[in-house]
Amino acid sequence: MTEAAELPPAPEQAREVFGERFADAVRYAELLAEAGVQRGLIGPREVPRLWERHLLNCAVLSEAVPEGVTVCDVGSGAGLPGIPLALVRSDLNITLLEPLLRRTNFLTEVVELLGLDHVTVVRGRAEEVMGKLPPVHVVTARAVAPLDRLATWGIPLLRPYGEMLALKGDTAEEELKAAATALSKLGAESTSILHVGDGVVDPPSTVVRVEVGESPGGVRFAAKRAKAARTGRTRRRR
């Protein structure tokens, strides 16, 4: 039996969540179950629960994202949560940021196949692209790293008064407490734990929201960002 055959039918909630992009969501699920497994982007044991644990779990993040903003999905991997978010929110301008070539190749294929014109794939690490990519309103992430480390990568990519939305599980509250000092140094002004997808996924998805002030990343990253911007301007003049 092939891995694709193990993919269960889409649940009724998927039709409601993805709406007119439901067929594209099905195609994405098939790509994850086939090429995603073959290329080692997801484990074969994840195929039977792709819909509930992955696609729907990520798509409901849209409830927490404001309208018409720019988004950077840090460590996008196989496109989670960035691709499901893009399927349900055509109003967003989304960058999928991923350092590994085999993953960016897969992401580029998915974006082109599904016609996601509002999505851009960028290969690189967060610390490498700071100052090279325009600051964004929202940074998203899922299963990338503990919150304190994730914040170090993600918060400096934000524009002033932006926010980071990290999909977390049962450890959300514990991680938030452990990261309090690091978040403060990075310019966080408020934090909260949200539960999204009530009635769609059970249990609802847990999201840690970190809102920043005027200096995302704090003083150290402000200087680094300014240096990167100056370097970029110098290169463009040459």
Side-chain angles (χ1 to χ4, degrees):
M1 183 179 291
T2 65
E3 297 297 344
E6 296 180 14
L7 178 67
E12 193 59 37
Q13 296 95 315
R15 293 183 179 273
E16 299 171 8
V17 170
F18 291 102
E20 62 183 19
R21 299 304 296 262
F22 171 70
D24 290 324
V26 172
R27 185 64 186 121
Y28 177 50
E30 292 171 346
L31 289 167
L32 287 174
E34 297 164 2
V37 171
Q38 292 165 7
R39 300 185 193 183
L41 303 182
I42 67 165
R45 293 183 180 180
E46 296 302 311
V47 174
R49 51 185 185 176
L50 269 177
W51 284 107
E52 288 81 2
R53 184 179 174 86
H54 298 287
L55 274 74
L56 288 172
N57 180 272
C58 290
V60 296
L61 180 63
S62 64
E63 296 177 18
V65 181
E67 291 186 12
V69 298
T70 53
V71 177
C72 182
D73 188 31
V74 173
S76 196
L80 301 165
I83 296 294
L85 184 61
L87 287 171
V88 298
R89 294 288 299 276
S90 61
D91 60 300
L92 303 176
N93 188 334
I94 300 176
T95 297
L96 306 180
L97 181 62
E98 168 57 46
L100 295 184
L101 180 60
R102 62 188 172 89
R103 293 176 180 172
T104 54
N105 285 342
F106 175 79
L107 293 173
T108 299
E109 292 167 16
V110 171
V111 167
E112 292 177 353
L113 182 64
L114 302 185
L116 298 173
D117 298 333
H118 57 305
V119 177
T120 303
V121 178
V122 174
R123 184 186 176 197
R125 299 182 184 278
E127 57 269 34
E128 297 170 345
V129 302
M130 188 178 63
K132 300 176 183 177
L133 293 180
V136 297
H137 297 90
V138 177
V139 162
T140 60
R142 178 179 187 257
V144 174
L147 188 61
D148 54 350
R149 201 185 323 157
L150 173 62
T152 302
W153 300 333
I155 287 180
L157 300 178
L158 291 170
R159 58 184 291 170
Y161 306 105
E163 59 186 289
M164 183 176 74
L165 299 172
L167 278 162
K168 291 288 183 179
D170 297 337
T171 62
E173 189 171 345
E174 180 182 333
E175 286 193 46
L176 192 52
K177 288 180 180 178
T181 300
L183 292 174
S184 179
K185 290 180 179 179
L186 288 166
E189 293 203 337
S190 68
T191 61
S192 55
I193 295 178
L194 313 176
H195 298 283
V196 296
D198 187 32
V200 177
V201 288
D202 184 20
S205 301
T206 302
V207 181
V208 173
R209 169 181 272 160
V210 179
E211 297 174 277
V212 301
E214 189 174 353
S215 300
V219 176
R220 181 164 63 94
F221 284 97
K224 187 174 181 180
R225 189 183 298 108
K227 181 179 179 181
R230 288 196 299 273
T231 302
R233 287 195 294 269
T234 301
R235 289 174 178 169
R236 285 194 291 272
R237 291 194 196 104
R238 291 175 180 172

mmCIF file of all heavy atoms in Angstrom, residues 21 24 69-72 82-96 111-112 114-121:
data_model
loop_
_atom_site.group_PDB
_atom_site.id
_atom_site.type_symbol
_atom_site.label_atom_id
_atom_site.label_comp_id
_atom_site.label_asym_id
_atom_site.label_seq_id
_atom_site.Cartn_x
_atom_site.Cartn_y
_atom_site.Cartn_z
ATOM 1 N N ARG A 21 -10.966 27.127 -1.704
ATOM 2 C CA ARG A 21 -9.639 26.534 -1.914
ATOM 3 C C ARG A 21 -9.567 25.107 -1.361
ATOM 4 O O ARG A 21 -8.485 24.570 -1.158
ATOM 5 C CB ARG A 21 -8.555 27.389 -1.226
ATOM 6 C CG ARG A 21 -8.425 28.823 -1.720
ATOM 7 C CD ARG A 21 -8.188 28.949 -3.221
ATOM 8 N NE ARG A 21 -6.959 28.389 -3.690
ATOM 9 C CZ ARG A 21 -5.839 29.089 -3.931
ATOM 10 N NH1 ARG A 21 -5.815 30.378 -3.692
ATOM 11 N NH2 ARG A 21 -4.768 28.511 -4.421
ATOM 12 N N ASP A 24 -7.588 22.703 -3.467
ATOM 13 C CA ASP A 24 -6.152 22.938 -3.335
ATOM 14 C C ASP A 24 -5.627 22.379 -2.017
ATOM 15 O O ASP A 24 -4.501 21.881 -1.945
ATOM 16 C CB ASP A 24 -5.854 24.440 -3.414
ATOM 17 C CG ASP A 24 -6.085 24.995 -4.806
ATOM 18 O OD1 ASP A 24 -5.807 24.278 -5.781
ATOM 19 O OD2 ASP A 24 -6.534 26.146 -4.916
ATOM 20 N N VAL A 69 -2.155 41.932 6.290
ATOM 21 C CA VAL A 69 -0.816 42.186 6.806
ATOM 22 C C VAL A 69 0.230 41.333 6.099
ATOM 23 O O VAL A 69 -0.084 40.425 5.326
ATOM 24 C CB VAL A 69 -0.749 41.918 8.326
ATOM 25 C CG1 VAL A 69 -1.685 42.845 9.077
ATOM 26 C CG2 VAL A 69 -1.059 40.452 8.646
ATOM 27 N N THR A 70 1.502 41.641 6.364
ATOM 28 C CA THR A 70 2.605 40.828 5.876
ATOM 29 C C THR A 70 2.980 39.813 6.944
ATOM 30 O O THR A 70 2.967 40.110 8.143
ATOM 31 C CB THR A 70 3.828 41.697 5.545
ATOM 32 O OG1 THR A 70 4.148 42.513 6.668
ATOM 33 C CG2 THR A 70 3.541 42.583 4.339
ATOM 34 N N VAL A 71 3.319 38.598 6.492
ATOM 35 C CA VAL A 71 3.593 37.490 7.407
ATOM 36 C C VAL A 71 4.884 36.804 6.984
ATOM 37 O O VAL A 71 5.118 36.593 5.791
ATOM 38 C CB VAL A 71 2.445 36.453 7.391
ATOM 39 C CG1 VAL A 71 2.762 35.269 8.295
ATOM 40 C CG2 VAL A 71 1.124 37.095 7.790
ATOM 41 N N CYS A 72 5.715 36.433 7.946
ATOM 42 C CA CYS A 72 6.876 35.596 7.682
ATOM 43 C C CYS A 72 6.752 34.328 8.505
ATOM 44 O O CYS A 72 6.678 34.381 9.737
ATOM 45 C CB CYS A 72 8.173 36.324 8.026
ATOM 46 S SG CYS A 72 9.661 35.344 7.647
ATOM 47 N N GLY A 82 2.430 27.986 7.147
ATOM 48 C CA GLY A 82 2.318 28.972 6.085
ATOM 49 C C GLY A 82 1.387 28.639 4.942
ATOM 50 O O GLY A 82 0.588 29.493 4.513
ATOM 51 N N ILE A 83 1.447 27.401 4.417
ATOM 52 C CA ILE A 83 0.610 27.042 3.267
ATOM 53 C C ILE A 83 -0.877 26.991 3.633
ATOM 54 O O ILE A 83 -1.705 27.598 2.940
ATOM 55 C CB ILE A 83 1.071 25.706 2.648
ATOM 56 C CG1 ILE A 83 2.495 25.829 2.088
ATOM 57 C CG2 ILE A 83 0.109 25.271 1.544
ATOM 58 C CD1 ILE A 83 2.637 26.756 0.910
ATOM 59 N N PRO A 84 -1.280 26.288 4.704
ATOM 60 C CA PRO A 84 -2.699 26.330 5.073
ATOM 61 C C PRO A 84 -3.192 27.751 5.332
ATOM 62 O O PRO A 84 -4.323 28.106 4.956
ATOM 63 C CB PRO A 84 -2.753 25.480 6.352
ATOM 64 C CG PRO A 84 -1.608 24.532 6.209
ATOM 65 C CD PRO A 84 -0.527 25.342 5.554
ATOM 66 N N LEU A 85 -2.367 28.576 5.957
ATOM 67 C CA LEU A 85 -2.747 29.966 6.205
ATOM 68 C C LEU A 85 -2.961 30.699 4.891
ATOM 69 O O LEU A 85 -3.923 31.461 4.738
ATOM 70 C CB LEU A 85 -1.665 30.654 7.039
ATOM 71 C CG LEU A 85 -1.937 32.089 7.485
ATOM 72 C CD1 LEU A 85 -3.182 32.163 8.365
ATOM 73 C CD2 LEU A 85 -0.721 32.649 8.228
ATOM 74 N N ALA A 86 -2.085 30.462 3.930
ATOM 75 C CA ALA A 86 -2.213 31.112 2.619
ATOM 76 C C ALA A 86 -3.472 30.657 1.882
ATOM 77 O O ALA A 86 -4.089 31.439 1.161
ATOM 78 C CB ALA A 86 -0.975 30.811 1.775
ATOM 79 N N LEU A 87 -3.848 29.397 2.071
ATOM 80 C CA LEU A 87 -5.028 28.877 1.381
ATOM 81 C C LEU A 87 -6.320 29.519 1.888
ATOM 82 O O LEU A 87 -7.270 29.684 1.122
ATOM 83 C CB LEU A 87 -5.103 27.352 1.541
ATOM 84 C CG LEU A 87 -4.091 26.549 0.718
ATOM 85 C CD1 LEU A 87 -4.106 25.079 1.127
ATOM 86 C CD2 LEU A 87 -4.384 26.679 -0.776
ATOM 87 N N VAL A 88 -6.349 29.880 3.153
ATOM 88 C CA VAL A 88 -7.579 30.453 3.704
ATOM 89 C C VAL A 88 -7.553 31.979 3.743
ATOM 90 O O VAL A 88 -8.586 32.609 3.965
ATOM 91 C CB VAL A 88 -7.891 29.905 5.115
ATOM 92 C CG1 VAL A 88 -8.102 28.405 5.068
ATOM 93 C CG2 VAL A 88 -6.791 30.245 6.109
ATOM 94 N N ARG A 89 -6.372 32.580 3.497
ATOM 95 C CA ARG A 89 -6.250 34.036 3.615
ATOM 96 C C ARG A 89 -5.499 34.628 2.421
ATOM 97 O O ARG A 89 -4.293 34.857 2.466
ATOM 98 C CB ARG A 89 -5.533 34.392 4.916
ATOM 99 C CG ARG A 89 -6.311 34.032 6.181
ATOM 100 C CD ARG A 89 -7.505 34.957 6.390
ATOM 101 N NE ARG A 89 -7.062 36.328 6.546
ATOM 102 C CZ ARG A 89 -6.654 36.861 7.698
ATOM 103 N NH1 ARG A 89 -6.626 36.118 8.805
ATOM 104 N NH2 ARG A 89 -6.280 38.125 7.756
ATOM 105 N N SER A 90 -6.232 34.908 1.342
ATOM 106 C CA SER A 90 -5.616 35.515 0.157
ATOM 107 C C SER A 90 -5.252 36.978 0.382
ATOM 108 O O SER A 90 -4.559 37.583 -0.444
ATOM 109 C CB SER A 90 -6.567 35.389 -1.043
ATOM 110 O OG SER A 90 -7.780 36.065 -0.786
ATOM 111 N N ASP A 91 -5.721 37.561 1.480
ATOM 112 C CA ASP A 91 -5.428 38.970 1.771
ATOM 113 C C ASP A 91 -4.038 39.160 2.367
ATOM 114 O O ASP A 91 -3.560 40.297 2.481
ATOM 115 C CB ASP A 91 -6.460 39.533 2.757
ATOM 116 C CG ASP A 91 -6.455 38.777 4.090
ATOM 117 O OD1 ASP A 91 -6.703 37.553 4.063
ATOM 118 O OD2 ASP A 91 -6.212 39.407 5.135
ATOM 119 N N LEU A 92 -3.368 38.080 2.733
ATOM 120 C CA LEU A 92 -2.063 38.172 3.381
ATOM 121 C C LEU A 92 -0.928 38.075 2.359
ATOM 122 O O LEU A 92 -1.052 37.397 1.351
ATOM 123 C CB LEU A 92 -1.904 37.047 4.402
ATOM 124 C CG LEU A 92 -2.964 36.965 5.501
ATOM 125 C CD1 LEU A 92 -2.709 35.733 6.374
ATOM 126 C CD2 LEU A 92 -2.994 38.226 6.346
ATOM 127 N N ASN A 93 0.170 38.742 2.658
ATOM 128 C CA ASN A 93 1.388 38.624 1.862
ATOM 129 C C ASN A 93 2.359 37.798 2.691
ATOM 130 O O ASN A 93 2.890 38.293 3.686
ATOM 131 C CB ASN A 93 1.955 40.017 1.562
ATOM 132 C CG ASN A 93 3.116 39.972 0.586
ATOM 133 O OD1 ASN A 93 3.804 38.953 0.498
ATOM 134 N ND2 ASN A 93 3.337 41.059 -0.124
ATOM 135 N N ILE A 94 2.585 36.541 2.295
ATOM 136 C CA ILE A 94 3.284 35.579 3.146
ATOM 137 C C ILE A 94 4.646 35.192 2.577
ATOM 138 O O ILE A 94 4.766 34.882 1.392
ATOM 139 C CB ILE A 94 2.429 34.306 3.336
ATOM 140 C CG1 ILE A 94 1.091 34.665 4.002
ATOM 141 C CG2 ILE A 94 3.181 33.258 4.159
ATOM 142 C CD1 ILE A 94 0.137 33.490 4.147
ATOM 143 N N THR A 95 5.654 35.212 3.435
ATOM 144 C CA THR A 95 6.985 34.708 3.092
ATOM 145 C C THR A 95 7.227 33.415 3.860
ATOM 146 O O THR A 95 7.066 33.379 5.080
ATOM 147 C CB THR A 95 8.082 35.725 3.463
ATOM 148 O OG1 THR A 95 7.893 36.916 2.704
ATOM 149 C CG2 THR A 95 9.466 35.170 3.157
ATOM 150 N N LEU A 96 7.596 32.365 3.137
ATOM 151 C CA LEU A 96 7.955 31.095 3.763
ATOM 152 C C LEU A 96 9.471 31.061 3.865
ATOM 153 O O LEU A 96 10.171 30.979 2.857
ATOM 154 C CB LEU A 96 7.455 29.908 2.928
ATOM 155 C CG LEU A 96 5.964 29.886 2.586
ATOM 156 C CD1 LEU A 96 5.639 28.646 1.746
ATOM 157 C CD2 LEU A 96 5.104 29.924 3.839
ATOM 158 N N VAL A 111 3.803 26.070 -4.024
ATOM 159 C CA VAL A 111 3.319 27.428 -4.291
ATOM 160 C C VAL A 111 2.951 27.594 -5.763
ATOM 161 O O VAL A 111 1.902 28.166 -6.098
ATOM 162 C CB VAL A 111 4.386 28.460 -3.872
ATOM 163 C CG1 VAL A 111 4.065 29.839 -4.423
ATOM 164 C CG2 VAL A 111 4.492 28.517 -2.353
ATOM 165 N N GLU A 112 3.793 27.075 -6.651
ATOM 166 C CA GLU A 112 3.519 27.189 -8.090
ATOM 167 C C GLU A 112 2.327 26.323 -8.497
ATOM 168 O O GLU A 112 1.462 26.765 -9.254
ATOM 169 C CB GLU A 112 4.760 26.797 -8.891
ATOM 170 C CG GLU A 112 5.916 27.786 -8.725
ATOM 171 C CD GLU A 112 7.167 27.349 -9.464
ATOM 172 O OE1 GLU A 112 7.179 26.210 -10.002
ATOM 173 O OE2 GLU A 112 8.139 28.126 -9.495
ATOM 174 N N LEU A 114 -0.208 25.289 -6.701
ATOM 175 C CA LEU A 114 -1.477 25.760 -6.157
ATOM 176 C C LEU A 114 -1.796 27.202 -6.551
ATOM 177 O O LEU A 114 -2.847 27.722 -6.184
ATOM 178 C CB LEU A 114 -1.473 25.622 -4.629
ATOM 179 C CG LEU A 114 -1.233 24.210 -4.067
ATOM 180 C CD1 LEU A 114 -1.367 24.215 -2.557
ATOM 181 C CD2 LEU A 114 -2.192 23.197 -4.690
ATOM 182 N N GLY A 115 -0.894 27.841 -7.277
ATOM 183 C CA GLY A 115 -1.145 29.207 -7.727
ATOM 184 C C GLY A 115 -1.255 30.208 -6.586
ATOM 185 O O GLY A 115 -2.101 31.108 -6.620
ATOM 186 N N LEU A 116 -0.369 30.079 -5.603
ATOM 187 C CA LEU A 116 -0.396 30.977 -4.444
ATOM 188 C C LEU A 116 0.457 32.210 -4.742
ATOM 189 O O LEU A 116 1.601 32.336 -4.307
ATOM 190 C CB LEU A 116 0.107 30.245 -3.198
ATOM 191 C CG LEU A 116 -0.736 29.035 -2.768
ATOM 192 C CD1 LEU A 116 -0.064 28.286 -1.622
ATOM 193 C CD2 LEU A 116 -2.136 29.474 -2.365
ATOM 194 N N ASP A 117 -0.117 33.130 -5.495
ATOM 195 C CA ASP A 117 0.622 34.306 -5.950
ATOM 196 C C ASP A 117 1.008 35.245 -4.816
ATOM 197 O O ASP A 117 1.867 36.114 -4.998
ATOM 198 C CB ASP A 117 -0.208 35.079 -6.986
ATOM 199 C CG ASP A 117 -0.491 34.256 -8.227
ATOM 200 O OD1 ASP A 117 0.311 33.352 -8.526
ATOM 201 O OD2 ASP A 117 -1.510 34.511 -8.893
ATOM 202 N N HIS A 118 0.365 35.113 -3.684
ATOM 203 C CA HIS A 118 0.665 35.990 -2.547
ATOM 204 C C HIS A 118 1.668 35.370 -1.584
ATOM 205 O O HIS A 118 1.841 35.855 -0.461
ATOM 206 C CB HIS A 118 -0.621 36.340 -1.796
ATOM 207 C CG HIS A 118 -1.398 35.160 -1.291
ATOM 208 N ND1 HIS A 118 -1.811 34.130 -2.113
ATOM 209 C CD2 HIS A 118 -1.828 34.818 -0.045
ATOM 210 C CE1 HIS A 118 -2.467 33.227 -1.392
ATOM 211 N NE2 HIS A 118 -2.478 33.624 -0.138
ATOM 212 N N VAL A 119 2.360 34.315 -2.049
ATOM 213 C CA VAL A 119 3.337 33.617 -1.213
ATOM 214 C C VAL A 119 4.705 33.636 -1.898
ATOM 215 O O VAL A 119 4.817 33.372 -3.092
ATOM 216 C CB VAL A 119 2.915 32.158 -0.950
ATOM 217 C CG1 VAL A 119 3.992 31.425 -0.140
ATOM 218 C CG2 VAL A 119 1.585 32.113 -0.220
ATOM 219 N N THR A 120 5.750 33.934 -1.131
ATOM 220 C CA THR A 120 7.126 33.933 -1.612
ATOM 221 C C THR A 120 7.949 32.970 -0.769
ATOM 222 O O THR A 120 7.809 32.944 0.457
ATOM 223 C CB THR A 120 7.756 35.338 -1.507
ATOM 224 O OG1 THR A 120 6.958 36.268 -2.239
ATOM 225 C CG2 THR A 120 9.168 35.351 -2.064
ATOM 226 N N VAL A 121 8.776 32.174 -1.428
ATOM 227 C CA VAL A 121 9.654 31.242 -0.718
ATOM 228 C C VAL A 121 11.062 31.831 -0.682
ATOM 229 O O VAL A 121 11.605 32.231 -1.706
ATOM 230 C CB VAL A 121 9.682 29.861 -1.411
ATOM 231 C CG1 VAL A 121 10.641 28.911 -0.681
ATOM 232 C CG2 VAL A 121 8.282 29.260 -1.468
#
